[in-house]
Amino acid sequence: MSTASHASSPNESKVKTVFRVVSGNFLEMYDFMVYGYFASAIAKTYFPSGSEFASLMLSLSVFGAGFLMRPIGAIVLGAYIDHHGRRKGLILTLGLMALGTLTVASVPGYATIGLLAPVMVLFGRLLQGFSAGVELGGVSVYLSEIATKGNKGFYCAWQSGSQQVAVVFAALIGVILNSVLPAEQMTAWGWRVPFLIGCLIVPFLFLIRRSLKETDEFLARKHHPSMGEIMKTMAQNWGIVLAGMGMVIMTTVSFYMITAYTPTFGKEVLKLSAIDVLAVTVCVGVSNLIWLPLAGALSDRIGRRPVLLTFTILTILTSYPAVQWLVADPSFLRLLGVLLWLSFLYGSYNGAMVVSLTEVMPVEVRTAGFSLAYSLATTVGGFTPAISTLLIHTTGNKAAPGLWLGVAAIIGLISTLVLYRTPEARNQYRTA
């Protein structure tokens, strides 16, 4: 009896630790999802124009602008975490994210304060992007360093798993609001409610994350590199960072296409109802949450490379035909079927990709290197809603987003082949 009790306590401790570390990651993705879901309403509030297309493009461009700050945040905050510790850095990023969310939630509309309104919204998005630049890397590295032997893929998958909880939560709020509020009220003020809910969650998340302990692996290190040393090591390993960026592009393009862009694509292109497209987004978040840890665990058993190659190739072969089938006769069921398929591809690929990125980076700059590669990729993938809107507008092809996803998968395939090009690299992390 006592033996079982002692055996279970470490597992309970690990579960609590994972929950604490991914809690802030939830807020980071929740903020980005809410902006993406309500991009149309935000466009009318802050970016009024005689052209709906121009207004929406401005709104989606500001959404993407947040990603431009991620590489800067990755370098500055990543170096801070690699020098001062995982715990301190994760608390700092949570505070910056909260400030950015509050800014976007509280700025009056263009009709009230003129040009100052979009400028302040842009500032809020840039601040969110700066903090998010290292949030994913900090969380992923923390999880990899506390993982039990042979289970790093499974542990790291919960970084992305917490994001899917945010996807579902934000979409459910959208479904409820669209059910109880008329479209005019949603455009006028209803879209602010999810942002305010995010602000109310912040104190709870601070309490959770404050209880984090530093990882044993970081404490055991005799030397914690300075900013100069980190920059030098990063420069020496630029090839790994660049290849890592290529792997992440597949993740970011597919993720933002099937989550943040779905409400806009469903309403503006497919002409489906707001409730229908948000309901599909809820299902996508649940599906992602299922596939991510399963793929992470599978990569622990058979290696990262086979999983990464399988799902990049499947994406290349099926993404455009699937979207083409959807736009040929749009319906709720077709949208659900296609998005669940793309969710399967995304979740299965990303479940192996995140842990791969923590493993290929030099240990002394693990957070900064991971975060820079991820952030550089999001400067491409984060603009997926804007790129997709522009492609459809300029080509007249409603299935063009599927082509964009296929291009991202080709980049992911090439990067995987580069990083795992030798037998040693292929087998190095099989039992890490």
Side-chain angles (χ1 to χ4, degrees), residues 295-308:
L298 179 64
S299 75
D300 286 329
R301 302 296 173 265
I302 68 172
R304 319 299 183 205
R305 185 175 182 269
V307 179
L308 296 172

Side-chain angles (χ1 to χ4, degrees), residues 175-187 189-191 193:
V175 170
I176 294 169
L177 287 173
N178 279 282
S179 300
V180 300
L181 292 177
E184 311 82 60
Q185 291 186 26
M186 277 299 302
T187 300
W189 59 268
W191 65 268
V193 174

Side-chain angles (χ1 to χ4, degrees), residues 46-60:
Y46 296 117
F47 309 99
S49 169
S51 164
E52 282 193 20
F53 167 73
S55 181
L56 181 59
M57 279 300 296
L58 283 170
S59 177
L60 293 175

Side-chain angles (χ1 to χ4, degrees), residues 56-199:
L56 181 59
M57 279 300 296
L58 283 170
S59 177
L60 293 175
S61 295
V62 170
F63 174 79
F67 295 97
L68 297 178
M69 285 296 290
R70 285 195 175 200
I72 299 173
I75 294 172
V76 176
L77 297 177
Y80 178 90
I81 291 177
D82 280 328
H83 183 76
H84 294 283
R86 317 310 189 200
R87 178 184 177 276
K88 287 182 179 179
L90 290 174
I91 293 174
L92 175 61
T93 60
L94 182 59
L96 293 173
M97 277 189 288
L99 182 57
T101 303
L102 181 61
T103 301
V104 176
S106 59
V107 174
Y110 185 91
T112 305
I113 60 174
L115 284 174
L116 185 60
V119 170
M120 291 183 68
V121 170
L122 177 61
F123 170 76
R125 289 291 301 144
L126 293 177
L127 190 58
Q128 287 174 330
F130 180 76
S131 63
V134 80
E135 173 69 19
L136 295 177
V139 169
S140 299
V141 168
Y142 192 102
L143 291 174
S144 73
E145 291 184 352
I146 67 167
T148 54
K149 183 174 176 60
N151 292 299
K152 280 189 177 182
F154 179 74
Y155 271 72
C156 287
W158 291 106
Q159 176 262 101
S160 297
S162 67
Q163 295 179 336
Q164 311 318 311
V165 177
V167 169
V168 172
F169 184 59
L172 282 174
I173 291 173
V175 170
I176 294 169
L177 287 173
N178 279 282
S179 300
V180 300
L181 292 177
E184 311 82 60
Q185 291 186 26
M186 277 299 302
T187 300
W189 59 268
W191 65 268
R192 294 183 185 272
V193 174
F195 284 100
L196 294 173
I197 290 174
C199 294

Side-chain angles (χ1 to χ4, degrees), residues 177-386:
L177 287 173
N178 279 282
S179 300
V180 300
L181 292 177
E184 311 82 60
Q185 291 186 26
M186 277 299 302
T187 300
W189 59 268
W191 65 268
R192 294 183 185 272
V193 174
F195 284 100
L196 294 173
I197 290 174
C199 294
L200 294 175
I201 294 173
V202 168
F204 174 66
L205 297 180
F206 263 114
L207 287 175
I208 293 174
R209 193 164 266 192
R210 280 185 63 193
S211 61
L212 274 179
K213 295 180 180 179
E214 188 54 77
T215 68
D216 292 337
E217 186 172 332
F218 180 84
L219 292 174
R221 242 171 264 148
K222 303 289 186 187
H223 175 67
H224 298 145
S226 65
M227 173 68 85
E229 291 172 318
I230 289 171
M231 293 301 101
K232 183 179 179 181
T233 304
M234 296 267 278
Q236 291 170 343
N237 292 277
W238 65 269
I240 294 176
V241 173
L242 192 62
M245 171 191 170
M247 281 205 307
V248 182
I249 283 176
M250 160 69 180
T251 278
T252 56
V253 170
S254 57
F255 178 74
Y256 286 104
M257 179 175 166
I258 65 177
T259 56
Y261 182 56
T262 294
T264 300
F265 182 66
K267 288 186 296 182
E268 305 296 331
V269 180
L270 304 181
K271 305 303 180 184
L272 300 176
S273 72
I275 293 178
D276 279 354
V277 295
L278 285 169
V280 169
T281 309
V282 170
C283 296
V284 167
V286 173
S287 172
N288 292 344
L289 186 57
I290 292 170
W291 295 119
L292 283 162
L294 289 178
L298 179 64
S299 75
D300 286 329
R301 302 296 173 265
I302 68 172
R304 319 299 183 205
R305 185 175 182 269
V307 179
L308 296 172
L309 292 180
T310 297
F311 289 99
T312 48
I313 293 170
L314 278 175
T315 304
I316 293 167
L317 295 176
T318 66
S319 58
Y320 182 66
V323 179
Q324 203 171 33
W325 178 74
L326 167 61
V327 302
D329 185 19
S331 68
F332 171 80
L333 289 178
R334 284 203 179 202
L335 180 64
L336 179 63
V338 169
L339 267 292
L340 287 180
W341 171 249
L342 296 180
S343 164
F344 169 64
L345 297 177
Y346 155 77
S348 300
Y349 174 82
N350 198 52
M353 190 283 298
V354 172
V355 65
S356 298
L357 202 56
T358 67
E359 291 170 339
V360 299
M361 292 297 164
V363 63
E364 64 272 16
V365 293
R366 185 176 284 161
T367 305
F370 181 109
S371 299
L372 182 58
Y374 212 108
S375 298
L376 288 171
T378 56
T379 61
V380 179
F383 278 95
T384 289

